[in-house]
């Protein structure tokens, strides 16, 4: 009897199925240090316990995207091990901070299925929840993945495409308990810009670039225990290359956005996202942002910004799609998200 697991294929998923993912993981200061080493991450709230305490928190939490990567990595063996591509995200919420010493686990519910017209693959929608050791949900998001079929003759399931919110409303955003920016230290944070300084429609070129190396990507995928074959195995793809994990591009772009958005401290909502084109080692990632919305929150001195974050491998900033509405070939990522910043 076989002991090994080749991973799930499209025909293995059932609508409404809840999958509990292995293996729980306790996170600590090591994950933060490695995250800041892999990306030029330097937002003050995640760099300094003293800054976090001055902002009403008991200390510096784990970076929001680091927590996301840990939870995401748990899901890969069951959801995207045999994926052709990770297609998009929606309805993402960071519901509680993740603190050093927390143990994270993940579970996903299959909420949509649609076989592709070629009969060789299909799209699977899942809603994933990351939970801590107290069974509190810390992260929740929807993603959809194109997955290969094992048996091309397997019958297509009934098509169910879930209805998802185009964007989270400001009322949907969860502000961490105690967060208070009324005595915010702009000098230590790195820039003087408040929420009110950003105009809806404003575009920001983040100027800097980082060339992605094969070695750092492999460290990242191992750190997040992401076992997707397209990231690890150079023989898995016909062109003999490994794809850079899309989350690696997200974190790199978010870190680059510090130059111009240093006070966009906490990621609290993920409205939508697309990995528009694949990223490979040797490409230089650059980023630009567009301000989509502004809102107040109930927390003292805390506002919210809705941002579009675009990562590119070249070309001029602020160019996203061609005349036919297709992403330009240099666009790697198009992410729509909410952050908390000082009013």
């Amino acid at each position: 009897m076989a002991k090994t697991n080749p991973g799930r294929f499209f025909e293995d998923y059932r609508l409404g199925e809840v999958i509990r993912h292995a293996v729980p993981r306790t996170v600590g200061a090591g994950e933060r240090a490695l995250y800041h080493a892999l990306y030029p991450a330097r937002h003050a709230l995640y760099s300094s316990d003293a800054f976090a305490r001055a902002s009403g928190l008991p200390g510096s939490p784990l970076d929001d995207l680091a927590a996301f990567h840990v939870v995401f990595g748990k899901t890969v063996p069951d959801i995207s091990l045999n994926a052709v591509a990770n297609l998009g995200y929606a309805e993402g919420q960071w519901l509680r901070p993740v603190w050093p010493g927390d143990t994270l686990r993940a579970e996903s519910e299959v909420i949509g299925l649609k076989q592709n017209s070629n009969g060789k693959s299909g799209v699977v929608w899942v809603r994933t929840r990351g939970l801590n050791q107290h069974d509190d949900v810390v992260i929740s998001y929807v993603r959809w993945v194109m997955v290969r079929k094992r048996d091309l003759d397997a019958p297509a399931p009934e098509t169910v495409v879930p209805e998802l919110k185009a964007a989270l409303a400001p009322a949907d955003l969860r502000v961490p308990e105690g967060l208070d920016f009324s005595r915010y230290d702009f000098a230590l944070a790195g820039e003087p810009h408040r929420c009110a300084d950003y105009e809806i429609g404003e575009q920001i070129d983040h100027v800097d670039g980082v060339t992605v190396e094969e070695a750092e990507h492999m460290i990242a995928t191992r750190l997040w225990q992401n076992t997707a074959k397209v990231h690890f195995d150079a023989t898995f793809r016909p062109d003999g290359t490994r794809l850079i994990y899309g989350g690696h591009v997200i974190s790199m772009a978010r870190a680059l956005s510090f130059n111009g958005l240093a006070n966009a401290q906490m990621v609290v909502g993920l409205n939508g996202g697309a990995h528009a084109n694949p990223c490979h080692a040797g490409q230089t990632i650059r980023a630009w942002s567009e301000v989509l919305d502004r809102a107040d929150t109930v927390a003292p001195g805390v506002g919210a910004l809705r941002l579009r974050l675009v990562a590119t491998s070249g070309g001029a900033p602020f160019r996203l799609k061609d005349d036919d509405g297709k992403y330009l070939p240099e666009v790697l990522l198009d992410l729509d998200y909410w952050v908390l910043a000082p009013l």
Side-chain angles (χ1 to χ4, degrees):
M1 183 176 179
K3 300 290 193 300
T4 55
N5 179 10
R8 290 178 175 231
F9 293 83
F10 179 69
E11 63 267 32
D12 298 327
Y13 294 94
R14 300 290 180 269
L15 194 69
E17 176 184 14
V18 176
I19 304 167
R20 299 180 70 214
H21 306 292
V23 173
R25 177 166 174 177
T26 302
V27 296
E31 277 80 6
R32 174 185 290 126
L34 280 168
Y35 185 86
H36 288 207
L38 286 166
Y39 314 105
R42 49 198 171 120
H43 285 87
L45 201 70
Y46 299 105
S47 299
S48 166
D49 283 333
F51 190 96
R53 285 194 289 267
S55 300
L57 301 181
S60 184
L62 194 69
D63 293 71
D64 300 304
L65 289 176
F68 171 80
H69 293 320
V70 171
V71 171
F72 186 100
K74 304 292 98 188
T75 73
V76 168
D78 298 310
I79 304 301
S80 49
L81 190 67
N82 294 305
V84 179
N86 191 57
L87 299 177
Y89 309 93
E91 297 185 3
Q93 291 179 288
W94 280 257
L95 300 168
R96 289 176 175 81
V98 174
W99 306 103
D102 279 353
T103 297
L104 301 181
R105 61 182 178 87
E107 60 185 35
S108 298
E109 179 183 359
V110 180
I111 62 172
L113 293 168
K114 183 180 184 296
Q115 182 166 299
N116 290 330
S117 58
N118 63 13
K120 297 179 180 179
S121 61
V123 179
V124 181
W125 284 261
V126 296
R127 186 181 300 276
T128 294
R129 303 192 310 158
L131 301 98
N132 63 20
Q133 67 273 22
H134 307 297
D135 290 333
D136 297 324
V137 179
V138 297
I139 298 172
S140 175
Y141 63 91
V142 173
R143 71 165 170 141
W144 47 105
V145 186
M146 187 186 301
V147 182
R148 292 177 174 85
K149 290 185 72 174
R150 178 196 298 108
D151 177 7
L152 299 186
D153 295 324
E158 177 186 358
T159 295
V160 176
V161 177
E163 293 185 11
L164 301 170
K165 294 180 179 180
L168 299 174
D172 295 326
L173 306 179
R174 188 74 62 87
V175 179
E177 183 178 354
L179 189 67
D180 183 345
F181 285 162
S182 58
R183 296 180 299 278
Y184 191 89
D185 192 323
F186 288 89
L188 290 182
E191 289 180 349
H193 314 305
R194 303 172 179 268
C195 272
D197 295 326
Y198 293 92
E199 298 293 335
I200 295 174
E202 180 180 355
Q203 294 177 315
I204 304 162
D205 179 3
H206 299 301
V207 180
D208 306 309
V210 174
T211 302
V212 178
E213 303 292 347
E214 193 80 70
E216 71 188 25
H217 166 246
M218 294 311 301
I219 291 172
T221 50
R222 290 168 182 155
L223 174 62
W224 313 128
Q225 298 176 325
N226 184 333
T227 57
K229 296 173 185 178
V230 292
H231 304 320
F232 269 94
D233 187 349
T235 70
F236 191 70
R237 286 168 45 86
D239 62 4
T241 64
R242 291 182 288 203
L243 292 182
I244 301 299
Y245 163 47
H248 194 69
V249 179
I250 292 174
S251 280
M252 193 68 75
R254 159 73 172 156
L256 290 171
S257 75
F258 180 90
N259 190 349
L261 286 165
N263 296 316
Q265 291 289 351
M266 303 193 82
V267 178
V268 288
L270 178 58
N271 299 308
H275 297 291
N277 287 288
C279 182
H280 299 280
Q283 290 181 313
T284 297
I285 296 176
R286 301 185 186 279
W288 57 270
S289 292
E290 180 181 0
V291 180
L292 301 178
D293 202 358
R294 293 188 321 208
D296 295 334
T297 76
V298 297
V302 179
L305 290 173
R306 181 182 170 190
L307 303 169
R308 161 175 269 161
L309 175 63
V310 177
T312 73
S313 60
F318 316 134
R319 297 176 67 247
L320 190 65
K321 297 181 180 181
D322 61 20
D323 293 339
D324 296 324
K326 295 181 179 179
Y327 284 109
L328 295 170
E330 66 267 22
V331 174
L332 303 174
L333 171 74
D334 181 10
L335 198 73
D336 179 342
Y337 69 121
W338 282 99
V339 296
L340 300 181
L343 287 171

